[in-house]
Amino acid sequence: MTMSVSTQESQTIRLSQVCKSYGDYPVLKDIDAQVARGEVVVICGPSGSGKSTLIRTINRLEEINSGSITLDGQNIHAAMRAKELNAMRSRIGFVFQNFNLFPHLSVAENVSMSPIRVKGVAPEVAHEKALKLLDRVGLADKARAYPGQLSGGQQQRVAIARALAMEPPVMLFDEPTSALDPEMVGEVLAVMKSLASEGMTMLCVTHEMGFARDVADRIWFIDAGQIIETATPKEFFSNPRHPRAQRFLADLR
Ligand code: ADP
Ligand code: MG
């Protein structure tokens, strides 16, 4: 991945006036935000504030009620057929809190499955690529293992390799380390950090404020369905402007 200097391309993801409700309950209220190519955004905020819903709307795991979300100008929430939806989703890697690996497939099969099924990549080619990606996340020796034989940290690294297998220009992470034992958090964050340093465009919901401080270009602080503060990590941690952000940070300490 290289950083693009083209200004036309500089807004990879754009959310405009995005609103979403569950029934009568508004979860996302008029969200306006942009992510530039190569930018790493950390989304933080209290539990129930809408972080997961927000990030899930970006690859259309959740529908929106109004507004628009575009990826390089393409309207993600336009009417489209299942096949187009799959193609669009494959451009936006998603890593879940609970890994969501297929338990009956080997690690290598988990990583090679989507390129074979969705992109029509030849199985041998997809397998070779899977081995390279597993090597990259430090799991070359686990290709033939099954998810149930791996630790949580290893499973999450497989999940990252699986998302990368589709060569997405954007990666979304929803609390990727929250389900892990503390000693496994670092190995997953290290993979994410290396992706960031290679110029991947990333949106990460995480409570790992050390990661936010070191890796994020911008922080979005969300509360009650609104992004109420966007700032660089330096600004956010040293001088949060919004009282709710101040309270959130004080509660972490
Ligand atoms: P966060 O990830 O910040 O904890 P969520 O996006 O998961 O927040 O949830 C935001 C709000 O929407 C919460 O009040 C939650 O209870 C509610 N919510 C989330 N998913 C659903 C759903 N499928 N149906 C109804 N309410 C939901
Ligand atoms: Mg959540």
Side-chain angles (χ1 to χ4, degrees), residues 150-188:
L150 304 184
S151 72
Q154 290 171 331
Q155 289 187 58
Q156 193 59 298
R157 286 185 282 148
V158 174
I160 294 172
R162 180 178 61 175
L164 292 175
M166 295 300 276
E167 300 181 345
V170 173
M171 287 280 286
L172 310 178
F173 296 84
D174 190 2
E175 297 202 26
T177 61
S178 294
L180 301 179
D181 291 335
E183 70 271 22
M184 292 165 189
V185 169
E187 66 197 53
V188 171

PDB file of all heavy atoms in Angstrom, residues 150-188:
ATOM      1  N   LEU A 150      -6.473 -23.037  18.155  1.00  0.00           N
ATOM      2  CA  LEU A 150      -5.659 -21.825  18.315  1.00  0.00           C
ATOM      3  C   LEU A 150      -6.112 -21.002  19.516  1.00  0.00           C
ATOM      4  O   LEU A 150      -7.272 -21.069  19.923  1.00  0.00           O
ATOM      5  CB  LEU A 150      -5.777 -20.942  17.067  1.00  0.00           C
ATOM      6  CG  LEU A 150      -5.426 -21.553  15.710  1.00  0.00           C
ATOM      7  CD1 LEU A 150      -5.509 -20.481  14.634  1.00  0.00           C
ATOM      8  CD2 LEU A 150      -4.043 -22.182  15.727  1.00  0.00           C
ATOM      9  N   SER A 151      -5.197 -20.202  20.029  1.00  0.00           N
ATOM     10  CA  SER A 151      -5.560 -19.230  21.071  1.00  0.00           C
ATOM     11  C   SER A 151      -6.390 -18.112  20.440  1.00  0.00           C
ATOM     12  O   SER A 151      -6.437 -17.964  19.211  1.00  0.00           O
ATOM     13  CB  SER A 151      -4.294 -18.636  21.684  1.00  0.00           C
ATOM     14  OG  SER A 151      -3.679 -17.748  20.761  1.00  0.00           O
ATOM     15  N   GLY A 152      -7.019 -17.319  21.292  1.00  0.00           N
ATOM     16  CA  GLY A 152      -7.802 -16.186  20.790  1.00  0.00           C
ATOM     17  C   GLY A 152      -6.961 -15.222  19.971  1.00  0.00           C
ATOM     18  O   GLY A 152      -7.390 -14.735  18.918  1.00  0.00           O
ATOM     19  N   GLY A 153      -5.770 -14.941  20.440  1.00  0.00           N
ATOM     20  CA  GLY A 153      -4.893 -14.005  19.728  1.00  0.00           C
ATOM     21  C   GLY A 153      -4.506 -14.540  18.356  1.00  0.00           C
ATOM     22  O   GLY A 153      -4.453 -13.794  17.373  1.00  0.00           O
ATOM     23  N   GLN A 154      -4.272 -15.863  18.299  1.00  0.00           N
ATOM     24  CA  GLN A 154      -3.942 -16.477  17.005  1.00  0.00           C
ATOM     25  C   GLN A 154      -5.160 -16.447  16.080  1.00  0.00           C
ATOM     26  O   GLN A 154      -5.037 -16.138  14.890  1.00  0.00           O
ATOM     27  CB  GLN A 154      -3.466 -17.913  17.228  1.00  0.00           C
ATOM     28  CG  GLN A 154      -2.098 -17.975  17.909  1.00  0.00           C
ATOM     29  CD  GLN A 154      -1.731 -19.393  18.334  1.00  0.00           C
ATOM     30  OE1 GLN A 154      -2.598 -20.224  18.625  1.00  0.00           O
ATOM     31  NE2 GLN A 154      -0.438 -19.674  18.379  1.00  0.00           N
ATOM     32  N   GLN A 155      -6.325 -16.748  16.633  1.00  0.00           N
ATOM     33  CA  GLN A 155      -7.542 -16.720  15.803  1.00  0.00           C
ATOM     34  C   GLN A 155      -7.784 -15.322  15.238  1.00  0.00           C
ATOM     35  O   GLN A 155      -8.169 -15.160  14.084  1.00  0.00           O
ATOM     36  CB  GLN A 155      -8.761 -17.155  16.620  1.00  0.00           C
ATOM     37  CG  GLN A 155      -8.750 -18.631  16.954  1.00  0.00           C
ATOM     38  CD  GLN A 155     -10.057 -19.061  17.607  1.00  0.00           C
ATOM     39  OE1 GLN A 155     -11.133 -18.905  17.044  1.00  0.00           O
ATOM     40  NE2 GLN A 155      -9.954 -19.598  18.801  1.00  0.00           N
ATOM     41  N   GLN A 156      -7.552 -14.322  16.077  1.00  0.00           N
ATOM     42  CA  GLN A 156      -7.786 -12.969  15.579  1.00  0.00           C
ATOM     43  C   GLN A 156      -6.778 -12.600  14.492  1.00  0.00           C
ATOM     44  O   GLN A 156      -7.108 -11.898  13.538  1.00  0.00           O
ATOM     45  CB  GLN A 156      -7.767 -11.958  16.741  1.00  0.00           C
ATOM     46  CG  GLN A 156      -8.294 -10.586  16.406  1.00  0.00           C
ATOM     47  CD  GLN A 156      -9.740 -10.589  15.907  1.00  0.00           C
ATOM     48  OE1 GLN A 156     -10.042 -11.186  14.870  1.00  0.00           O
ATOM     49  NE2 GLN A 156     -10.615  -9.916  16.634  1.00  0.00           N
ATOM     50  N   ARG A 157      -5.548 -13.083  14.603  1.00  0.00           N
ATOM     51  CA  ARG A 157      -4.568 -12.815  13.539  1.00  0.00           C
ATOM     52  C   ARG A 157      -4.954 -13.539  12.251  1.00  0.00           C
ATOM     53  O   ARG A 157      -4.756 -13.017  11.154  1.00  0.00           O
ATOM     54  CB  ARG A 157      -3.163 -13.189  14.020  1.00  0.00           C
ATOM     55  CG  ARG A 157      -2.629 -12.154  15.024  1.00  0.00           C
ATOM     56  CD  ARG A 157      -1.199 -12.425  15.421  1.00  0.00           C
ATOM     57  NE  ARG A 157      -1.098 -13.503  16.390  1.00  0.00           N
ATOM     58  CZ  ARG A 157      -0.070 -14.341  16.477  1.00  0.00           C
ATOM     59  NH1 ARG A 157       0.946 -14.237  15.646  1.00  0.00           N
ATOM     60  NH2 ARG A 157      -0.047 -15.280  17.404  1.00  0.00           N
ATOM     61  N   VAL A 158      -5.545 -14.733  12.375  1.00  0.00           N
ATOM     62  CA  VAL A 158      -6.075 -15.419  11.181  1.00  0.00           C
ATOM     63  C   VAL A 158      -7.202 -14.571  10.562  1.00  0.00           C
ATOM     64  O   VAL A 158      -7.270 -14.409   9.337  1.00  0.00           O
ATOM     65  CB  VAL A 158      -6.600 -16.832  11.521  1.00  0.00           C
ATOM     66  CG1 VAL A 158      -7.281 -17.455  10.299  1.00  0.00           C
ATOM     67  CG2 VAL A 158      -5.482 -17.721  12.029  1.00  0.00           C
ATOM     68  N   ALA A 159      -8.048 -14.036  11.417  1.00  0.00           N
ATOM     69  CA  ALA A 159      -9.165 -13.224  10.910  1.00  0.00           C
ATOM     70  C   ALA A 159      -8.643 -11.997  10.144  1.00  0.00           C
ATOM     71  O   ALA A 159      -9.217 -11.601   9.126  1.00  0.00           O
ATOM     72  CB  ALA A 159     -10.069 -12.793  12.069  1.00  0.00           C
ATOM     73  N   ILE A 160      -7.560 -11.429  10.630  1.00  0.00           N
ATOM     74  CA  ILE A 160      -6.969 -10.284   9.926  1.00  0.00           C
ATOM     75  C   ILE A 160      -6.401 -10.750   8.579  1.00  0.00           C
ATOM     76  O   ILE A 160      -6.620 -10.114   7.540  1.00  0.00           O
ATOM     77  CB  ILE A 160      -5.894  -9.600  10.791  1.00  0.00           C
ATOM     78  CG1 ILE A 160      -6.543  -8.950  12.031  1.00  0.00           C
ATOM     79  CG2 ILE A 160      -5.133  -8.546   9.968  1.00  0.00           C
ATOM     80  CD1 ILE A 160      -5.551  -8.402  13.050  1.00  0.00           C
ATOM     81  N   ALA A 161      -5.696 -11.894   8.583  1.00  0.00           N
ATOM     82  CA  ALA A 161      -5.152 -12.430   7.324  1.00  0.00           C
ATOM     83  C   ALA A 161      -6.283 -12.725   6.342  1.00  0.00           C
ATOM     84  O   ALA A 161      -6.170 -12.451   5.140  1.00  0.00           O
ATOM     85  CB  ALA A 161      -4.337 -13.699   7.604  1.00  0.00           C
ATOM     86  N   ARG A 162      -7.378 -13.255   6.862  1.00  0.00           N
ATOM     87  CA  ARG A 162      -8.523 -13.574   5.994  1.00  0.00           C
ATOM     88  C   ARG A 162      -9.086 -12.311   5.341  1.00  0.00           C
ATOM     89  O   ARG A 162      -9.406 -12.293   4.152  1.00  0.00           O
ATOM     90  CB  ARG A 162      -9.619 -14.270   6.808  1.00  0.00           C
ATOM     91  CG  ARG A 162     -10.832 -14.635   5.982  1.00  0.00           C
ATOM     92  CD  ARG A 162     -11.880 -15.356   6.776  1.00  0.00           C
ATOM     93  NE  ARG A 162     -12.375 -14.539   7.880  1.00  0.00           N
ATOM     94  CZ  ARG A 162     -13.367 -14.892   8.666  1.00  0.00           C
ATOM     95  NH1 ARG A 162     -13.966 -16.057   8.486  1.00  0.00           N
ATOM     96  NH2 ARG A 162     -13.765 -14.115   9.651  1.00  0.00           N
ATOM     97  N   ALA A 163      -9.198 -11.251   6.129  1.00  0.00           N
ATOM     98  CA  ALA A 163      -9.690  -9.992   5.547  1.00  0.00           C
ATOM     99  C   ALA A 163      -8.706  -9.459   4.507  1.00  0.00           C
ATOM    100  O   ALA A 163      -9.101  -9.009   3.428  1.00  0.00           O
ATOM    101  CB  ALA A 163      -9.916  -8.962   6.659  1.00  0.00           C
ATOM    102  N   LEU A 164      -7.414  -9.549   4.812  1.00  0.00           N
ATOM    103  CA  LEU A 164      -6.401  -9.014   3.887  1.00  0.00           C
ATOM    104  C   LEU A 164      -6.336  -9.798   2.579  1.00  0.00           C
ATOM    105  O   LEU A 164      -5.903  -9.269   1.552  1.00  0.00           O
ATOM    106  CB  LEU A 164      -5.017  -9.039   4.546  1.00  0.00           C
ATOM    107  CG  LEU A 164      -4.815  -8.086   5.716  1.00  0.00           C
ATOM    108  CD1 LEU A 164      -3.443  -8.322   6.349  1.00  0.00           C
ATOM    109  CD2 LEU A 164      -4.957  -6.630   5.257  1.00  0.00           C
ATOM    110  N   ALA A 165      -6.783 -11.054   2.612  1.00  0.00           N
ATOM    111  CA  ALA A 165      -6.717 -11.896   1.414  1.00  0.00           C
ATOM    112  C   ALA A 165      -7.514 -11.302   0.254  1.00  0.00           C
ATOM    113  O   ALA A 165      -7.231 -11.563  -0.908  1.00  0.00           O
ATOM    114  CB  ALA A 165      -7.224 -13.302   1.731  1.00  0.00           C
ATOM    115  N   MET A 166      -8.506 -10.480   0.576  1.00  0.00           N
ATOM    116  CA  MET A 166      -9.308  -9.853  -0.474  1.00  0.00           C
ATOM    117  C   MET A 166      -8.681  -8.545  -0.976  1.00  0.00           C
ATOM    118  O   MET A 166      -9.255  -7.858  -1.802  1.00  0.00           O
ATOM    119  CB  MET A 166     -10.727  -9.593   0.038  1.00  0.00           C
ATOM    120  CG  MET A 166     -11.500 -10.863   0.350  1.00  0.00           C
ATOM    121  SD  MET A 166     -11.687 -11.936  -1.085  1.00  0.00           S
ATOM    122  CE  MET A 166     -13.138 -11.187  -1.849  1.00  0.00           C
ATOM    123  N   GLU A 167      -7.518  -8.211  -0.450  1.00  0.00           N
ATOM    124  CA  GLU A 167      -6.787  -6.996  -0.837  1.00  0.00           C
ATOM    125  C   GLU A 167      -7.665  -5.743  -0.736  1.00  0.00           C
ATOM    126  O   GLU A 167      -7.770  -4.960  -1.686  1.00  0.00           O
ATOM    127  CB  GLU A 167      -6.224  -7.148  -2.253  1.00  0.00           C
ATOM    128  CG  GLU A 167      -5.265  -8.333  -2.329  1.00  0.00           C
ATOM    129  CD  GLU A 167      -4.651  -8.508  -3.713  1.00  0.00           C
ATOM    130  OE1 GLU A 167      -5.168  -7.905  -4.681  1.00  0.00           O
ATOM    131  OE2 GLU A 167      -3.650  -9.229  -3.797  1.00  0.00           O
ATOM    132  N   PRO A 168      -8.304  -5.559   0.403  1.00  0.00           N
ATOM    133  CA  PRO A 168      -9.197  -4.408   0.546  1.00  0.00           C
ATOM    134  C   PRO A 168      -8.391  -3.121   0.697  1.00  0.00           C
ATOM    135  O   PRO A 168      -7.330  -3.134   1.336  1.00  0.00           O
ATOM    136  CB  PRO A 168      -9.947  -4.711   1.846  1.00  0.00           C
ATOM    137  CG  PRO A 168      -8.972  -5.502   2.657  1.00  0.00           C
ATOM    138  CD  PRO A 168      -8.187  -6.321   1.659  1.00  0.00           C
ATOM    139  N   PRO A 169      -8.881  -2.035   0.127  1.00  0.00           N
ATOM    140  CA  PRO A 169      -8.210  -0.757   0.360  1.00  0.00           C
ATOM    141  C   PRO A 169      -8.473  -0.191   1.753  1.00  0.00           C
ATOM    142  O   PRO A 169      -7.787   0.737   2.186  1.00  0.00           O
ATOM    143  CB  PRO A 169      -8.796   0.158  -0.728  1.00  0.00           C
ATOM    144  CG  PRO A 169     -10.094  -0.451  -1.092  1.00  0.00           C
ATOM    145  CD  PRO A 169      -9.986  -1.928  -0.829  1.00  0.00           C
ATOM    146  N   VAL A 170      -9.467  -0.747   2.433  1.00  0.00           N
ATOM    147  CA  VAL A 170      -9.877  -0.237   3.743  1.00  0.00           C
ATOM    148  C   VAL A 170     -10.095  -1.410   4.690  1.00  0.00           C
ATOM    149  O   VAL A 170     -10.642  -2.432   4.293  1.00  0.00           O
ATOM    150  CB  VAL A 170     -11.216   0.549   3.625  1.00  0.00           C
ATOM    151  CG1 VAL A 170     -11.745   0.934   4.989  1.00  0.00           C
ATOM    152  CG2 VAL A 170     -11.056   1.767   2.740  1.00  0.00           C
ATOM    153  N   MET A 171      -9.673  -1.230   5.941  1.00  0.00           N
ATOM    154  CA  MET A 171      -9.933  -2.260   6.956  1.00  0.00           C
ATOM    155  C   MET A 171     -10.684  -1.636   8.135  1.00  0.00           C
ATOM    156  O   MET A 171     -10.296  -0.579   8.641  1.00  0.00           O
ATOM    157  CB  MET A 171      -8.608  -2.837   7.466  1.00  0.00           C
ATOM    158  CG  MET A 171      -7.894  -3.745   6.471  1.00  0.00           C
ATOM    159  SD  MET A 171      -8.571  -5.432   6.419  1.00  0.00           S
ATOM    160  CE  MET A 171      -7.934  -6.091   7.954  1.00  0.00           C
ATOM    161  N   LEU A 172     -11.739  -2.324   8.566  1.00  0.00           N
ATOM    162  CA  LEU A 172     -12.520  -1.898   9.722  1.00  0.00           C
ATOM    163  C   LEU A 172     -12.321  -2.917  10.849  1.00  0.00           C
ATOM    164  O   LEU A 172     -12.319  -4.120  10.594  1.00  0.00           O
ATOM    165  CB  LEU A 172     -14.013  -1.838   9.374  1.00  0.00           C
ATOM    166  CG  LEU A 172     -14.417  -1.082   8.104  1.00  0.00           C
ATOM    167  CD1 LEU A 172     -15.931  -1.171   7.896  1.00  0.00           C
ATOM    168  CD2 LEU A 172     -13.979   0.376   8.169  1.00  0.00           C
ATOM    169  N   PHE A 173     -12.159  -2.409  12.045  1.00  0.00           N
ATOM    170  CA  PHE A 173     -11.956  -3.288  13.210  1.00  0.00           C
ATOM    171  C   PHE A 173     -12.952  -2.889  14.287  1.00  0.00           C
ATOM    172  O   PHE A 173     -13.004  -1.722  14.672  1.00  0.00           O
ATOM    173  CB  PHE A 173     -10.543  -3.090  13.786  1.00  0.00           C
ATOM    174  CG  PHE A 173      -9.422  -3.477  12.856  1.00  0.00           C
ATOM    175  CD1 PHE A 173      -8.952  -2.583  11.901  1.00  0.00           C
ATOM    176  CD2 PHE A 173      -8.815  -4.723  12.953  1.00  0.00           C
ATOM    177  CE1 PHE A 173      -7.901  -2.928  11.049  1.00  0.00           C
ATOM    178  CE2 PHE A 173      -7.762  -5.079  12.109  1.00  0.00           C
ATOM    179  CZ  PHE A 173      -7.309  -4.181  11.161  1.00  0.00           C
ATOM    180  N   ASP A 174     -13.722  -3.850  14.780  1.00  0.00           N
ATOM    181  CA  ASP A 174     -14.651  -3.548  15.875  1.00  0.00           C
ATOM    182  C   ASP A 174     -14.185  -4.250  17.146  1.00  0.00           C
ATOM    183  O   ASP A 174     -14.437  -5.437  17.339  1.00  0.00           O
ATOM    184  CB  ASP A 174     -16.077  -3.971  15.519  1.00  0.00           C
ATOM    185  CG  ASP A 174     -17.097  -3.443  16.536  1.00  0.00           C
ATOM    186  OD1 ASP A 174     -16.691  -2.733  17.484  1.00  0.00           O
ATOM    187  OD2 ASP A 174     -18.292  -3.748  16.377  1.00  0.00           O
ATOM    188  N   GLU A 175     -13.523  -3.520  17.995  1.00  0.00           N
ATOM    189  CA  GLU A 175     -12.984  -4.033  19.258  1.00  0.00           C
ATOM    190  C   GLU A 175     -12.265  -5.374  19.068  1.00  0.00           C
ATOM    191  O   GLU A 175     -12.616  -6.379  19.702  1.00  0.00           O
ATOM    192  CB  GLU A 175     -14.110  -4.159  20.295  1.00  0.00           C
ATOM    193  CG  GLU A 175     -14.723  -2.808  20.616  1.00  0.00           C
ATOM    194  CD  GLU A 175     -15.437  -2.801  21.972  1.00  0.00           C
ATOM    195  OE1 GLU A 175     -15.064  -3.595  22.841  1.00  0.00           O
ATOM    196  OE2 GLU A 175     -16.334  -1.969  22.133  1.00  0.00           O
ATOM    197  N   PRO A 176     -11.238  -5.385  18.216  1.00  0.00           N
ATOM    198  CA  PRO A 176     -10.585  -6.655  17.866  1.00  0.00           C
ATOM    199  C   PRO A 176      -9.852  -7.320  19.020  1.00  0.00           C
ATOM    200  O   PRO A 176      -9.551  -8.509  18.936  1.00  0.00           O
ATOM    201  CB  PRO A 176      -9.585  -6.234  16.775  1.00  0.00           C
ATOM    202  CG  PRO A 176      -9.305  -4.796  17.057  1.00  0.00           C
ATOM    203  CD  PRO A 176     -10.619  -4.235  17.540  1.00  0.00           C
ATOM    204  N   THR A 177      -9.595  -6.593  20.086  1.00  0.00           N
ATOM    205  CA  THR A 177      -8.854  -7.214  21.192  1.00  0.00           C
ATOM    206  C   THR A 177      -9.707  -7.366  22.460  1.00  0.00           C
ATOM    207  O   THR A 177      -9.211  -7.839  23.477  1.00  0.00           O
ATOM    208  CB  THR A 177      -7.581  -6.397  21.546  1.00  0.00           C
ATOM    209  OG1 THR A 177      -7.965  -5.077  21.955  1.00  0.00           O
ATOM    210  CG2 THR A 177      -6.640  -6.307  20.357  1.00  0.00           C
ATOM    211  N   SER A 178     -10.976  -6.991  22.386  1.00  0.00           N
ATOM    212  CA  SER A 178     -11.795  -6.983  23.610  1.00  0.00           C
ATOM    213  C   SER A 178     -12.121  -8.373  24.138  1.00  0.00           C
ATOM    214  O   SER A 178     -12.411  -8.526  25.314  1.00  0.00           O
ATOM    215  CB  SER A 178     -13.100  -6.227  23.372  1.00  0.00           C
ATOM    216  OG  SER A 178     -12.817  -4.875  23.132  1.00  0.00           O
ATOM    217  N   ALA A 179     -12.098  -9.375  23.253  1.00  0.00           N
ATOM    218  CA  ALA A 179     -12.429 -10.728  23.711  1.00  0.00           C
ATOM    219  C   ALA A 179     -11.188 -11.526  24.085  1.00  0.00           C
ATOM    220  O   ALA A 179     -11.286 -12.706  24.390  1.00  0.00           O
ATOM    221  CB  ALA A 179     -13.217 -11.454  22.615  1.00  0.00           C
ATOM    222  N   LEU A 180     -10.043 -10.878  24.061  1.00  0.00           N
ATOM    223  CA  LEU A 180      -8.784 -11.624  24.262  1.00  0.00           C
ATOM    224  C   LEU A 180      -8.295 -11.553  25.703  1.00  0.00           C
ATOM    225  O   LEU A 180      -8.502 -10.544  26.387  1.00  0.00           O
ATOM    226  CB  LEU A 180      -7.689 -11.035  23.367  1.00  0.00           C
ATOM    227  CG  LEU A 180      -7.953 -11.048  21.862  1.00  0.00           C
ATOM    228  CD1 LEU A 180      -6.786 -10.401  21.131  1.00  0.00           C
ATOM    229  CD2 LEU A 180      -8.165 -12.475  21.379  1.00  0.00           C
ATOM    230  N   ASP A 181      -7.609 -12.610  26.112  1.00  0.00           N
ATOM    231  CA  ASP A 181      -6.892 -12.537  27.382  1.00  0.00           C
ATOM    232  C   ASP A 181      -5.820 -11.455  27.247  1.00  0.00           C
ATOM    233  O   ASP A 181      -5.248 -11.279  26.164  1.00  0.00           O
ATOM    234  CB  ASP A 181      -6.224 -13.877  27.679  1.00  0.00           C
ATOM    235  CG  ASP A 181      -7.261 -14.951  27.995  1.00  0.00           C
ATOM    236  OD1 ASP A 181      -8.365 -14.595  28.441  1.00  0.00           O
ATOM    237  OD2 ASP A 181      -6.968 -16.145  27.766  1.00  0.00           O
ATOM    238  N   PRO A 182      -5.538 -10.757  28.342  1.00  0.00           N
ATOM    239  CA  PRO A 182      -4.627  -9.610  28.267  1.00  0.00           C
ATOM    240  C   PRO A 182      -3.282  -9.917  27.611  1.00  0.00           C
ATOM    241  O   PRO A 182      -2.756  -9.085  26.874  1.00  0.00           O
ATOM    242  CB  PRO A 182      -4.433  -9.208  29.733  1.00  0.00           C
ATOM    243  CG  PRO A 182      -5.612  -9.740  30.447  1.00  0.00           C
ATOM    244  CD  PRO A 182      -6.084 -10.951  29.691  1.00  0.00           C
ATOM    245  N   GLU A 183      -2.764 -11.116  27.823  1.00  0.00           N
ATOM    246  CA  GLU A 183      -1.428 -11.392  27.276  1.00  0.00           C
ATOM    247  C   GLU A 183      -1.434 -11.558  25.757  1.00  0.00           C
ATOM    248  O   GLU A 183      -0.380 -11.629  25.146  1.00  0.00           O
ATOM    249  CB  GLU A 183      -0.794 -12.614  27.968  1.00  0.00           C
ATOM    250  CG  GLU A 183      -1.441 -13.941  27.642  1.00  0.00           C
ATOM    251  CD  GLU A 183      -2.587 -14.305  28.594  1.00  0.00           C
ATOM    252  OE1 GLU A 183      -3.165 -13.409  29.239  1.00  0.00           O
ATOM    253  OE2 GLU A 183      -2.914 -15.505  28.664  1.00  0.00           O
ATOM    254  N   MET A 184      -2.632 -11.604  25.154  1.00  0.00           N
ATOM    255  CA  MET A 184      -2.708 -11.773  23.693  1.00  0.00           C
ATOM    256  C   MET A 184      -3.042 -10.491  22.958  1.00  0.00           C
ATOM    257  O   MET A 184      -3.059 -10.454  21.724  1.00  0.00           O
ATOM    258  CB  MET A 184      -3.751 -12.826  23.355  1.00  0.00           C
ATOM    259  CG  MET A 184      -3.310 -14.195  23.800  1.00  0.00           C
ATOM    260  SD  MET A 184      -4.652 -15.329  23.807  1.00  0.00           S
ATOM    261  CE  MET A 184      -3.831 -16.700  24.629  1.00  0.00           C
ATOM    262  N   VAL A 185      -3.327  -9.449  23.716  1.00  0.00           N
ATOM    263  CA  VAL A 185      -3.720  -8.188  23.088  1.00  0.00           C
ATOM    264  C   VAL A 185      -2.580  -7.627  22.242  1.00  0.00           C
ATOM    265  O   VAL A 185      -2.774  -7.190  21.107  1.00  0.00           O
ATOM    266  CB  VAL A 185      -4.164  -7.177  24.177  1.00  0.00           C
ATOM    267  CG1 VAL A 185      -4.315  -5.776  23.614  1.00  0.00           C
ATOM    268  CG2 VAL A 185      -5.475  -7.642  24.821  1.00  0.00           C
ATOM    269  N   GLY A 186      -1.386  -7.692  22.788  1.00  0.00           N
ATOM    270  CA  GLY A 186      -0.236  -7.063  22.130  1.00  0.00           C
ATOM    271  C   GLY A 186       0.067  -7.630  20.753  1.00  0.00           C
ATOM    272  O   GLY A 186       0.391  -6.883  19.828  1.00  0.00           O
ATOM    273  N   GLU A 187      -0.071  -8.954  20.590  1.00  0.00           N
ATOM    274  CA  GLU A 187       0.274  -9.567  19.300  1.00  0.00           C
ATOM    275  C   GLU A 187      -0.694  -9.122  18.201  1.00  0.00           C
ATOM    276  O   GLU A 187      -0.300  -8.975  17.043  1.00  0.00           O
ATOM    277  CB  GLU A 187       0.290 -11.097  19.427  1.00  0.00           C
ATOM    278  CG  GLU A 187      -1.047 -11.740  19.723  1.00  0.00           C
ATOM    279  CD  GLU A 187      -0.936 -13.179  20.246  1.00  0.00           C
ATOM    280  OE1 GLU A 187      -0.198 -13.413  21.235  1.00  0.00           O
ATOM    281  OE2 GLU A 187      -1.598 -14.051  19.675  1.00  0.00           O
ATOM    282  N   VAL A 188      -1.956  -8.892  18.569  1.00  0.00           N
ATOM    283  CA  VAL A 188      -2.944  -8.431  17.587  1.00  0.00           C
ATOM    284  C   VAL A 188      -2.715  -6.948  17.265  1.00  0.00           C
ATOM    285  O   VAL A 188      -2.727  -6.531  16.110  1.00  0.00           O
ATOM    286  CB  VAL A 188      -4.379  -8.699  18.094  1.00  0.00           C
ATOM    287  CG1 VAL A 188      -5.415  -8.041  17.192  1.00  0.00           C
ATOM    288  CG2 VAL A 188      -4.623 -10.207  18.177  1.00  0.00           C
TER     289      VAL A 188
END
